Amino acid sequence: RRFDYRPKTDPYCQARYTFCPTGSAIPVMKEEDAIEVYRLQAPVWEFKYGDLLGHLKIMHDAVGFKSSLTGKNYTMEWYELFQLGNCTFPHLRPGMDAPFWCNQGAACFYEGIDDAHWKANGTLVLVTTISGTMFNEMAQWVKHDNETGIYYETWTVQASPDKKSTMWFDSYECSKFILRTYQKLADLGAVFKKIQTNYTSIILFSGEPIYLGNETSIFGPQGNKTLAAAIRDFYNPFKPHQSVLEFFVDLFKIIDRVMLNHQFYLFYNLEYWFLPMKSPYLKIIYEEVPLPVGNKSSFGV
């Protein structure tokens, strides 16, 4: 779903690590420039935990560019403004009936490619070469995509692990932005190399979701107080933990509700849904998604 504008962020929402600290505007390239495009991938939080999450195939994706005329490198990625936990689960604030969400994602563009970061435990590989004209058209698309696709969505929700199973909800995170970018470049005429490209998905498995309503219809003055209490109770164990004991107590509650009682409440595009969970409940996959097929008569091979 696309939105008309990006809402202002609430001062309550604070990130442990600043979003896009060295970000800059996307430059206008000369039409005759030949710009190399690189696939970048590394384990999530690689800067802090090294390859730890890489062993679980929890990867972060980005795209790199190198101008042949200037020799300058650039990195473009899309990630959470307030870190993954805030985008995935809400805060239960005193005096507020409705769960409070600190959830936005956005594109970040900055000069330079941190070779060590991407190469150490991940991937830095050339996937295509484009013209300056194509880069500039892509930049205009990025601006529109960034202004209208504003909420981060961690979960993909499917009916079963079968690849042909029904997808109830699709995720909207870093890899989906990169896939959209590649597709836009292909639409503009980029020809991609034939290399294998894999991406991480975190999948919940559920029967057909049940629509519950939005914040007003559930938590407003005329809302459903029983349902409102059930949603708040469900999200309570996902709050930040203060001690090891609290962590294990809350972990047991999560397992009890999701796996034993087959319950999950999903907030998606500003609406609440009930997911009747079923085995295997959750799975992290690292699945191949081929690079798009470009126009053979386009610039660069």
Side-chain angles (χ1 to χ4, degrees):
R1 177 180 171 183
R2 293 281 158 178
F3 294 85
D4 295 333
Y5 65 96
R6 181 180 291 275
K8 290 184 178 180
T9 57
D10 192 291
Y12 178 86
C13 299
Q14 298 292 325
R16 179 173 296 182
Y17 300 100
T18 303
F19 173 81
C20 203
T22 60
S24 60
I26 303 178
V28 177
M29 300 295 191
K30 292 186 176 180
E31 294 181 2
E32 67 273 19
D33 202 347
I35 299 164
E36 295 177 338
V37 181
Y38 291 88
R39 177 175 185 252
L40 309 177
Q41 188 176 71
V44 169
W45 290 50
E46 189 268 349
F47 68 94
K48 186 172 183 180
Y49 299 116
D51 193 30
L52 178 62
L53 293 176
H55 292 296
L56 299 174
K57 296 299 183 184
I58 302 178
M59 308 295 282
H60 174 67
D61 298 273
V63 59
F65 303 97
K66 182 179 180 181
S67 164
S68 64
L69 289 181
T70 67
K72 290 184 176 181
N73 296 327
Y74 303 92
T75 300
M76 184 170 71
E77 52 191 324
W78 196 94
Y79 60 100
E80 326 90 35
L81 269 63
F82 309 109
Q83 271 79 69
L84 182 60
N86 282 323
C87 288
T88 308
F89 300 108
H91 294 259
L92 301 179
R93 298 175 63 178
M96 294 181 65
D97 288 334
F100 184 83
W101 293 86
C102 293
N103 181 7
Q104 284 193 40
C108 174
F109 187 95
Y110 53 94
E111 186 172 339
I113 296 177
D114 185 350
D115 288 29
H117 169 71
W118 302 106
K119 284 182 177 179
N121 299 302
T123 301
L124 194 163
V125 61
L126 178 68
V127 291
T128 189
T129 301
I130 62 175
S131 68
T133 300
M134 292 162 66
F135 179 92
N136 294 335
E137 290 184 18
M138 178 209 71
Q140 291 301 311
W141 168 84
V142 168
K143 184 175 185 294
H144 176 264
D145 185 84
N146 201 43
E147 290 174 346
T148 59
I150 56 180
Y151 293 112
Y152 190 101
E153 180 51 56
T154 303
W155 312 110
T156 296
V157 184
Q158 290 183 192
S160 78
D162 188 334
K163 287 188 177 182
K164 295 182 180 180
S165 74
T166 301
M167 180 188 293
W168 305 117
F169 299 97
D170 198 4
S171 60
Y172 198 87
E173 26 73 2
C174 65
S175 68
K176 296 301 171 67
F177 172 75
I178 300 306
L179 289 168
R180 293 196 303 278
T181 301
Y182 289 158
Q183 186 60 58
K184 181 61 179 179
L185 291 176
D187 293 343
L188 292 171
V191 178
F192 286 89
K193 294 179 178 292
K194 290 180 170 58
I195 58 174
Q196 183 169 332
T197 51
N198 289 58
Y199 301 90
T200 300
S201 291
I202 304 177
I203 303 176
L204 299 176
F205 298 103
S206 164
E208 184 169 355
I210 300 168
Y211 176 71
L212 301 175
N214 59 28
E215 181 177 305
T216 301
S217 67
I218 298 172
F219 298 95
Q222 307 302 317
N224 185 327
K225 294 189 182 301
T226 301
L227 177 58
I231 292 174
R232 287 181 60 89
D233 188 54
F234 172 80
Y235 283 128
N236 188 60
F238 294 97
K239 66 183 182 296
H241 304 91
Q242 303 300 314
S243 70
V244 174
L245 177 60
E246 285 180 323
F247 170 79
F248 282 107
V249 169
D250 286 342
L251 180 62
F252 177 79
K253 290 179 182 177
I254 293 167
I255 292 171
D256 176 68
R257 289 167 191 178
V258 175
M259 300 181 68
L260 300 181
N261 291 313
H262 310 288
Q263 297 176 344
F264 195 99
Y265 289 95
L266 178 72
F267 189 60
Y268 191 92
N269 280 341
L270 306 182
E271 296 175 325
Y272 285 93
W273 297 78
F274 177 78
L275 304 182
M277 299 294 289
K278 60 184 185 180
S279 179
Y281 307 105
L282 182 147
K283 189 176 183 181
I284 298 171
I285 65 169
Y286 188 61
E287 189 172 46
E288 180 180 9
V289 181
L291 288 163
V293 176
N295 182 346
K296 297 297 183 183
S297 63
S298 68
F299 175 93
V301 178

